[in-house]
């Protein structure tokens, strides 16, 4: 079988086409400057004062846990350069680079409590709370069906019931039912649908929630029928796991929900994506063993009945689907999700609920300046420029005309690195801080190592009598393996630093890993094909004195004229 002929010109054309497409995307986005980190640009600082929901001082363990969760929310999806610190015994400070739209969205995500609970729908517009029948259960609408998932924005501020309005509606219904009946009281005060002596801070059994759903106490039915959703931006309803909940979704649809049957702490994993044969994003949840069992029992109890269960986030209904069969193994939250909103919700649910409350009046946002003086960035850029100039001078003195490939490799690597930083800044929130600049400078040395390995392998083969055109092919396999091994070690070091180091070092590790990957691409797609292309030119192949591959340069200048050095072989009739 004939060996496939390499076409270096085509490889170079494909590389430059890929670079052109990348910069075309950058031009379309209109962003030509990378996002700088807190140390170089400044940004937004959020100061959050915590409260203990159970009263008393804030436990240090809870404050540290909240700090860890918030840190994962800020930096969990990429190198954003955010910093999370504690101050005193009850303050968490979050610093986010920049002050634009992305930073404001990150700030909103930080402030969310992300308390997720699963409840059954007792009353809704599709299932009205009517008058009680003789058996004590409420009259249900047989046409009850699935309520479409609402916009995911409901999870981040929307129409919902205030605690005062819920209590007011409960008091009105109490007067009509009995003096002692009050929906805001403990569940034991209601008719037998609610379990007696139930801890209000704990979820209820599935059977108890199903009984409440199918036999709604009269006082709760009356409270629901007189309940209206308040204006957007109102305080959320008080979401107590062991008590029923009057609330709304973002579209202003009111719901009466049973006590919670599953807490968000039972979620083991949360992810997002577009399922096969679907067009919209969904958030997929996986439960721990106990949560999975309860979820299966809940869906099994309402399977095929048209009854709904509600997914409630921060006291707001974000989805209220039905179940056709018993479901085990996980759940999906659907709605009008965008990629950003689905990722934000999955991120919040994945990293859990905050163990502390952060009242609105205890949250302050302000713009902060850079933590380092502007001359620090200037000094870093000058260090990189000096290093680049020294590499170029060395390559010109040592490799002469072959330094064209060296300089070209550095230019291509620089263009690809800058383009990737711009794209990642726009799409993943990557920021460039001073440690990141250091990682880019180290990348110059990695790129220099690659072409030195190839050139020295070629010189070794040319000392054995091979021409430059042949030496490129014979030296390439060994140079390639050496380069991959070297870059593999560098990438492994960057990966370990990125996973285990603090946020201040992650920027360095990320940029080091990025430049290492780009070095491999440049070595395969530019350095090798460009060298092979130049080896076909007589100026280099015949060993011109300025080519960098002449006999003096490769160390065979003392060989007798017309003879081949000892130990060489003839290839294609030429030494």
């Amino acid at each position: 079988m004939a060996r496939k002929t390499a076409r270096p010109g085509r490889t170079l054309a494909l590389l430059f086409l890929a670079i052109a497409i990348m910069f075309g995307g950058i031009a379309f986005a209109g962003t030509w400057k990378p996002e700088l980190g807190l140390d170089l640009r400044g940004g937004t600082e959020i100061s959050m004062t915590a409260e203990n929901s159970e009263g008393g001082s804030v436990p240090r363990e809870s404050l540290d846990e909240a700090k860890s969760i918030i840190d994962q929310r800020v930096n969990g999806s990429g190198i954003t350069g955010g910093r999370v610190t504690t101050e005193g015994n009850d303050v968490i400070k979050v610093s986010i680079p920049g002050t634009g739209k992305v930073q404001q969205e990150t700030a909103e995500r930080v402030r969310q409590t992300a308390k997720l609970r699963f409840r059954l729908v007792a009353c809704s517009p599709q299932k009205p709370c009517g008058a009680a029948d003789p058996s004590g259960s409420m009259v249900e609408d047989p046409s009850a069906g699935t309520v479409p998932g609402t916009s995911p924005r409901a999870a981040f501020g929307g129409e919902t019931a205030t605690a005062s309005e819920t209590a007011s509606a409960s008091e009105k219904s109490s007067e009509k039912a009995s003096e002692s009946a009050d929906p805001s009281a403990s569940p034991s005060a209601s008719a037998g649908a609610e379990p007696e002596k139930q801890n209000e801070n704990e979820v209820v059994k599935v059977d108890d929630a199903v009984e409440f759903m199918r036999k709604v106490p009269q006082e709760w039915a009356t409270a629901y029928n007189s309940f209206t959703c308040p204006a957007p931006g109102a305080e959320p309803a008080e979401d107590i796991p062991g008590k029923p909940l009057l609330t709304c979704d973002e579209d202003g649809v009111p719901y009466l929900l049973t006590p919670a049957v599953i807490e968000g702490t039972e979620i083991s994993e949360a992810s997002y994506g577009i399922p096969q044969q679907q067009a919209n994003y969904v958030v997929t949840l996986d439960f721990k063993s106990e949560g999975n069992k309860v979820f299966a029992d809940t869906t099994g109890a309402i399977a095929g009945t048209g009854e709904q269960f509600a997914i409630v986030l921060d006291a707001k209904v974000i989805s209220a689907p039905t179940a056709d069969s018993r479901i085990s193994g996980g759940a999906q939250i659907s709605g009008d999700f965008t990629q950003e909103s689905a990722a934000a919700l999955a991120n919040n649910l994945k990293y859990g609920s905050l163990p502390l409350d952060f009242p609105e009046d205890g949250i302050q946002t302000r713009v902060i300046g850079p933590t380092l003086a502007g001359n620090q960035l200037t000094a870093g850029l000058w260090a990189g420029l000096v290093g680049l100039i020294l590499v170029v001078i060395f390559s010109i003195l040592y490799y002469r005309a072959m330094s064209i490939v060296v300089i070209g490799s550095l230019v291509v690597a620089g263009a690809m690195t800058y383009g990737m930083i711009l794209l990642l800044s726009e799409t993943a929130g990557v920021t460039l801080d001073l440690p990141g600049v250091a990682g880019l400078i180290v990348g110059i040395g990695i790129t220099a190592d690659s072409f030195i390995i190839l050139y020295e392998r070629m010189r070794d083969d040319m000392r054995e009598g091979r021409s430059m055109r042949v030496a490129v092919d014979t030296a390439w396999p060994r140079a390639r393996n050496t380069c991959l091994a070297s870059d593999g070690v560098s990438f492994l070091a960057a990966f370990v630093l990125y996973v285990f180091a603090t946020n201040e070092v992650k920027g360095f590790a990320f940029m080091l890993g990025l430049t290492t990957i780009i070095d491999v691409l440049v070595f395969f797609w530019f350095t090798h094909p460009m060298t092979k292309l130049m080896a076909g030119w007589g100026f280099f192949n015949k060993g011109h004195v300025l080519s960098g591959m002449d006999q003096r340069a490769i160390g065979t200048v003392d060989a007798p004229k017309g003879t081949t050095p000892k130990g060489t072989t003839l290839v294609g009739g030429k030494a």
Side-chain angles (χ1 to χ4, degrees):
M1 183 176 179
R3 184 177 179 182
K4 186 176 180 180
T5 304
R7 297 182 179 179
R10 183 170 62 180
T11 302
L12 292 170
L14 290 175
L15 173 64
F16 290 125
L17 177 61
I19 294 176
I21 292 174
M22 177 174 64
F23 278 93
I26 295 172
F28 180 79
T31 302
W32 294 101
K33 292 183 179 180
E35 293 289 339
L36 300 180
L38 286 167
D39 51 358
L40 303 177
R41 179 186 177 186
T44 304
E45 182 183 81
I46 307 170
S47 178
M48 308 168 64
T49 303
E51 279 187 2
N52 188 351
S53 57
E54 299 179 357
S57 59
V58 175
R60 186 66 194 183
E61 297 80 5
S62 298
L63 190 69
D64 291 338
E65 181 182 355
K67 171 183 175 293
S68 176
I69 292 173
I70 292 174
D71 185 50
Q72 290 173 321
R73 290 182 183 180
V74 172
N75 296 300
S77 58
I79 303 295
T80 62
R83 297 177 184 174
V84 183
T85 59
T86 58
E87 185 176 279
N89 298 321
D90 58 355
V91 176
I92 295 179
K93 287 191 173 182
V94 184
S95 301
I96 306 170
T99 57
K101 179 181 178 181
V102 174
Q103 287 71 28
Q104 294 302 321
E105 292 175 351
T106 304
E108 290 297 323
R109 185 167 67 249
V110 166
R111 296 163 61 168
Q112 294 297 320
T113 56
K115 291 182 178 178
L116 182 77
R117 295 189 173 103
F118 290 80
R119 299 171 179 263
L120 295 174
V121 177
C123 299
S124 70
Q126 283 72 28
K127 181 186 176 183
C129 282
D133 64 15
S135 65
S137 62
M138 304 307 300
V139 177
E140 299 181 5
D141 183 357
S143 64
T146 302
V147 176
T150 61
S151 167
R153 289 190 301 273
F156 304 101
E159 297 183 356
T160 185
T162 62
S164 60
E165 288 172 326
T166 302
S168 175
S170 301
E171 291 172 2
K172 293 179 181 179
S173 63
S174 300
E175 294 175 359
K176 296 180 181 180
S178 64
E179 294 181 357
S180 61
D182 182 1
S184 63
S186 65
S188 61
S190 302
E194 296 181 62
E196 295 184 0
K197 298 181 181 180
Q198 167 70 33
N199 186 341
E200 294 181 352
N201 294 319
E202 295 180 357
V203 297
V204 302
K205 296 180 178 179
V206 175
D207 292 341
D208 294 330
V210 171
E211 185 177 2
F212 182 95
M213 175 184 65
R214 295 175 178 170
K215 296 182 180 180
V216 181
Q218 182 62 50
E219 63 269 21
W220 279 104
T222 305
Y224 172 78
N225 290 330
S226 61
F227 172 74
T228 57
C229 296
E235 289 294 324
E238 186 178 14
D239 188 358
I240 301 176
K243 297 177 66 174
L245 178 66
L246 272 171
T247 188
C248 302
D249 63 14
E250 190 188 45
D251 295 330
V253 177
Y255 290 89
L256 172 62
L257 307 177
T258 70
V261 293
I262 305 178
E263 282 276 20
T265 53
E266 288 297 318
I267 296 175
S268 61
E269 182 66 27
S271 59
Y272 71 98
I274 301 178
Q276 292 183 353
Q277 299 180 349
Q278 294 189 28
N280 298 321
Y281 281 93
V282 299
V283 177
T284 303
L285 307 176
D286 291 325
F287 296 101
K288 301 175 184 176
S289 57
E290 182 62 27
N292 187 54
K293 180 180 180 300
V294 175
F295 183 73
D297 292 342
T298 303
T299 54
I302 64 173
T305 64
E307 294 170 324
Q308 304 161 256
F309 68 92
I311 303 173
V312 184
L313 183 68
D314 291 340
K316 304 176 183 72
V317 175
I318 60 174
S319 185
T322 59
D324 295 330
S325 61
R326 181 185 178 91
I327 303 173
S328 60
Q332 285 185 347
I333 303 176
S334 60
D336 297 331
F337 286 114
T338 62
Q339 181 180 2
E340 292 75 15
S341 60
L345 177 56
N347 194 36
N348 277 9
L349 298 179
K350 179 180 179 180
Y351 295 121
S353 303
L354 296 178
L356 298 170
D357 293 330
F358 293 90
E360 192 69 26
D361 57 1
I363 299 177
Q364 299 178 347
T365 303
R366 68 186 184 95
V367 177
I368 58 175
T371 57
L372 294 177
N375 58 359
Q376 298 289 334
L377 176 60
T378 303
L381 295 178
W382 271 109
L385 181 61
V386 170
L388 181 63
I389 292 175
L390 290 177
V391 170
V392 170
I393 292 175
F394 166 80
S395 65
I396 292 175
L397 294 177
Y398 196 70
Y399 293 113
R400 301 172 190 172
M402 285 299 296
S403 62
I404 295 174
V405 182
V406 176
I407 298 172
S409 297
L410 292 172
V411 171
V412 171
M416 293 179 65
T417 302
Y418 190 71
M420 287 301 301
I421 292 175
L422 292 178
L423 288 178
L424 291 173
S425 295
E426 184 69 19
T427 58
V430 172
T431 58
L432 182 62
D433 53 11
L434 200 58
V437 173
L440 296 178
I441 295 174
V442 173
I444 298 175
I446 294 176
T447 303
D449 284 342
S450 298
F451 60 71
I452 288 176
I453 291 172
L454 177 59
Y455 286 0
E456 293 306 315
R457 292 291 191 188
M458 289 172 55
R459 285 183 169 185
D460 288 341
D461 286 356
M462 292 176 69
R463 291 188 189 100
E464 296 177 358
R466 296 180 176 89
S467 66
M468 181 179 173
R469 180 182 299 176
V470 175
V472 173
D473 293 330
T474 57
W476 169 245
R478 292 176 296 162
R480 176 190 61 201
N481 295 339
T482 303
C483 178
L484 289 176
S486 175
D487 283 342
V489 172
S490 297
F491 185 80
L492 180 61
F495 177 78
V496 171
L497 281 175
Y498 178 78
V499 173
F500 296 104
T502 61
N503 288 333
E504 286 74 11
V505 184
K506 284 183 182 292
F508 171 82
F510 183 83
M511 294 303 170
L512 178 61
L514 178 64
T515 53
T516 301
I517 294 174
I518 291 176
D519 173 63
V520 174
L521 297 177
V522 172
F523 187 58
F524 277 75
W525 284 13
F526 182 84
T527 305
H528 176 232
M530 189 66 184
T531 302
K532 187 174 180 62
L533 191 66
M534 293 174 65
W537 301 347
F539 178 83
F540 295 96
N541 191 43
K542 294 180 179 180
H544 191 280
V545 69
L546 297 178
S547 67
M549 291 295 176
D550 59 294
Q551 288 189 349
R552 180 181 296 275
I554 65 177
T556 59
V557 68
D558 296 329
K561 187 175 181 180
T563 64
T564 57
K566 183 178 180 180
T568 63
T569 58
L570 294 177
V571 180
K574 295 183 178 180

